[in-house]
């Protein structure tokens, strides 16, 4: 059981919904085979075996149609038009075979009941599964209407009264229409789940792109003016040098000064980008995780009063943990706690929905976790990460505080992420 369980946990939410939908419709075919197998007992050895064999063929075609139709709805293959017509033909053939056995088989009520039940089950299941491979409400519900009309014709031509023929066709219309409606709703829900998952991925990519744009704007603001002045002064120096004027040296000295100043300003921009603010990262993490449908809560102490180096390191921990909660596992809840205890500041990030293959809030390996450990080691901090229970993963970062802050541990508790927003 470990193999199937591990495979199921590795699936994403949309993949789990698709698997559930696929096997729900497969189960209709299984129920058809089992039910008809029980009903064919009164038919005797040869009629029952022949009918059961034709039903097995029908069930096999239903299985293939379900898989191909769902693949088509997800855009993985063309619409299985020929297969849909094949299933319609097989459904009609099995239904007519059941009626033929009822007419030519032993004359008993049990045989008539078994043949009639077989006819109805095959018509209802076949109609509903054909609807999986069709788009448009009118086309979908035209399928059970067509089979219901055919059922009326078959029943009436066999000599059944009009009332019984109408009853048989109504049952086919109702049963087939119900499964067809189930098919429409199931495909609709499946597409919505995939679209929501794609929207969450898009939000994550947009957040990264927005941060890159912000960094690009900062670099443009810093370098734009200096580069323009450097270009002008370089051009002026070239013209002066061509004329043998000594002022060219002064212009190149000014170009050198501007280049050094620009280099210093770029380093400051990069340093500001790398030194993450803890309060901002906590608020940003909640915003991103909440947008992705994950319940994110924060408790403990505020970030106010912590040294800049400590805030920067812990901010990177929060940033990396939030990013990996989105990328790995199937989290529904994430809890962040910040506390000061025994002269150390402790930040823990715990999330559920961990899979064996996906890892937790920071994964079990990779450059992200190693980079965090290196960053924390520079200020004597430590990082621990690993599973703490069934489906739970916890990342804990500890950093020692300076002696004057370690002696003063009176920090204000917070109840929501908004209270730590700068």
């Amino acid at each position: 059981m470990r193999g199937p369980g591990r495979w199921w946990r590795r699936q994403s939410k949309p993949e789990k919904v698709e698997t559930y939908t696929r096997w729900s419709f497969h189960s209709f075919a299984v129920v058809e085979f089992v039910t008809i197998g029980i009903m064919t007992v009164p038919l005797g050895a040869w009629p029952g075996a022949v009918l059961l064999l034709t039903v097995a063929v029908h069930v096999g075609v239903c299985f293939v149609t379900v898989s191909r139709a769902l693949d088509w709805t997800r855009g993985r293959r063309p619409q299985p038009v020929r297969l849909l017509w094949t299933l319609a033909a097989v459904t009609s053939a099995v239904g007519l075979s059941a009626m033929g056995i009822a007419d030519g088989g032993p004359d008993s009520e049990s045989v008539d009941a078994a043949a009639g039940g077989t006819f109805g089950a095959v018509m209802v299941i076949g109609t509903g599964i054909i609807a999986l491979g069709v788009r448009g409400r009118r086309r979908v519900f035209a399928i059970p209407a067509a089979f219901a009309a055919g059922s009326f014709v078959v029943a009436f031509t066999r000599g059944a009264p009009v009332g019984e023929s109408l009853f048989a066709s109504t049952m086919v219309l109702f049963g087939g229409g119900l499964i067809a409606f189930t098919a429409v709703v199931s495909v609709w829900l499946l597409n919505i789940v995939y679209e929501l998952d794609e929207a969450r991925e898009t939000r994550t990519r947009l957040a990264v792109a927005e941060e890159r744009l912000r960094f690009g704007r900062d670099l443009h603001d810093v370098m734009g003016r200096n580069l323009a002045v450097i270009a002008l002064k370089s051009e002026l120096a070239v013209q002066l040098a061509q004329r043998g004027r000594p002022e060219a040296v002064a212009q190149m000295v000014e170009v050198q000064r501007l280049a050094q100043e620009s280099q210093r300003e770029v380093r400051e921009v990069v340093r500001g980008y790398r030194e993450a603010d803890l309060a901002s990262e906590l608020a940003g993490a909640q915003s991103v995780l909440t947008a992705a449908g994950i319940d994110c809560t924060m408790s403990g102490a505020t970030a106010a009063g912590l040294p800049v180096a400590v805030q920067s390191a812990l901010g990177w921990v929060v940033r990396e943990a939030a990013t990996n909660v989105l990328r790995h596992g199937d989290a529904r809840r994430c809890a962040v706690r910040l506390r000061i205890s025994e002269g150390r500041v402790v930040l823990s990030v715990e999330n559920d929905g961990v899979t064996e293959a996906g890892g937790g809030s920071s994964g079990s390996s990779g450059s992200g976790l190693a980079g965090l450990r290196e960053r924390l080691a520079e200020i004597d901090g430590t990082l621990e990460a690993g599973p703490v229970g069934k489906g739970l993963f916890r990342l804990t970062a500890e950093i020692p505080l300076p002696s004057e802050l370690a002696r003063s541990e009176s920090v204000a508790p917070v109840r929501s992420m908004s209270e730590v927003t700068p």
Side-chain angles (χ1 to χ4, degrees):
M1 295 299 294
R2 288 180 56 84
R6 187 183 301 112
W7 170 83
W8 177 257
R9 288 191 294 272
R10 283 201 300 265
Q11 303 299 304
S12 64
K13 283 183 178 179
E15 290 172 340
K16 289 179 179 178
V17 174
E18 181 178 350
T19 301
Y20 173 79
T21 303
R22 191 179 298 271
W23 282 101
S24 294
F25 283 94
H26 284 329
S27 67
F28 288 144
V30 173
V31 170
E32 173 192 332
F33 184 78
V34 173
T35 303
I36 294 178
I38 295 174
M39 289 190 300
T40 54
V41 174
L43 298 179
W46 287 107
V50 171
L51 185 59
L52 193 59
L53 179 61
T54 59
V55 170
V57 174
H58 183 261
V59 169
V61 177
C62 287
F63 262 79
V64 177
T65 304
V66 168
S67 297
R68 299 285 180 86
L70 286 177
D71 288 342
W72 168 66
T73 60
R74 295 304 311 148
R76 302 187 189 118
R77 64 171 66 244
Q79 184 180 15
V81 178
R82 293 183 179 179
L83 186 60
L84 294 177
W85 281 108
T86 300
L87 178 57
V90 172
T91 300
S92 302
V94 175
L96 292 175
S97 298
M99 292 297 97
I101 290 176
D103 293 338
D107 188 11
S108 66
E109 293 183 0
S110 60
V111 172
D112 291 339
T118 300
F119 178 86
V122 169
M123 289 294 169
V124 169
I125 301 297
T127 299
I129 291 179
I130 291 173
L132 272 177
V134 179
R135 286 179 182 167
R137 297 178 183 176
R138 294 182 180 180
R139 293 182 178 180
V140 168
F141 292 109
I143 295 172
F147 275 94
S151 300
F152 176 82
V153 172
V154 170
F156 187 73
T157 54
R158 291 181 61 247
V162 175
E164 292 183 5
S165 301
L166 285 175
F167 177 77
S169 63
T170 301
M171 294 302 296
V172 172
L173 178 64
F174 177 77
L178 182 61
I179 299 181
F181 175 77
T182 303
V184 172
V185 174
S186 298
V187 171
W188 176 67
L189 289 176
L190 179 62
N191 290 332
I192 286 180
V193 171
Y194 269 103
E195 289 174 3
L196 289 175
D197 187 69
E198 292 172 0
R200 187 177 72 171
E201 293 293 332
T202 301
R203 281 194 295 266
T204 303
R205 291 194 296 268
L206 287 176
V208 175
E210 183 179 357
E211 180 64 17
R212 290 175 178 174
L213 287 174
R214 184 196 68 80
F215 184 63
R217 287 193 300 266
D218 291 345
L219 282 178
H220 178 270
D221 294 339
V222 170
M223 297 296 296
R225 179 185 61 83
N226 290 348
L227 289 176
V229 175
I230 289 174
L232 290 174
K233 287 188 173 294
S234 299
E235 183 179 356
L236 178 58
V238 170
Q239 294 177 359
L240 292 173
Q242 289 175 347
R243 298 174 185 175
R245 301 284 296 274
E247 292 88 346
V249 177
Q251 294 297 327
M252 290 307 300
V253 170
E254 182 66 13
V255 168
Q256 183 182 28
R257 185 191 66 80
L258 288 172
Q260 293 173 346
E261 181 180 350
S262 299
Q263 189 178 23
R264 176 183 59 80
E265 291 178 349
V266 169
R267 281 198 297 266
E268 290 179 354
V269 171
V270 175
R271 187 181 303 112
Y273 177 74
R274 290 179 176 173
E275 291 180 356
D277 179 70
L278 178 56
S280 299
E281 292 299 332
L282 288 172
Q286 190 204 31
S287 176
V288 172
L289 294 176
T290 302
I294 300 173
D295 181 18
C296 181
T297 59
M298 194 242 175
S299 61
T302 62
L306 294 177
V308 175
V310 173
Q311 290 201 41
S312 177
L314 293 181
W316 271 99
V317 173
V318 173
R319 181 183 297 181
E320 182 71 17
T323 300
N324 286 283
V325 167
L326 294 173
R327 290 179 178 175
H328 306 295
D330 193 12
R332 291 176 295 178
R333 295 184 299 275
C334 180
V336 182
R337 178 175 174 80
L338 179 68
R339 59 188 175 89
I340 298 177
S341 176
E342 299 179 356
R344 302 176 70 85
V345 58
V346 182
L347 174 71
S348 63
V349 181
E350 181 177 304
N351 64 278
D352 64 353
V354 176
T355 61
E356 295 183 12
S361 61
S362 63
S364 58
S365 62
S367 59
L369 193 60
L372 289 179
R373 285 200 172 98
E374 292 175 0
R375 189 179 297 273
L376 291 172
E378 294 177 358
I379 52 177
D380 299 326
T382 60
L383 180 73
E384 294 182 0
V388 293
K390 186 176 181 181
L392 295 177
F393 190 93
R394 181 184 299 158
L395 181 147
T396 304
E398 295 189 17
I399 301 175
L401 292 172
S403 56
E404 60 274 11
L405 289 177
R407 289 191 296 267
S408 177
E409 298 180 0
S410 57
V411 291
V414 297
R415 296 185 182 275
S416 67
M417 298 291 281
S418 60
E419 296 182 45
V420 298
T421 303

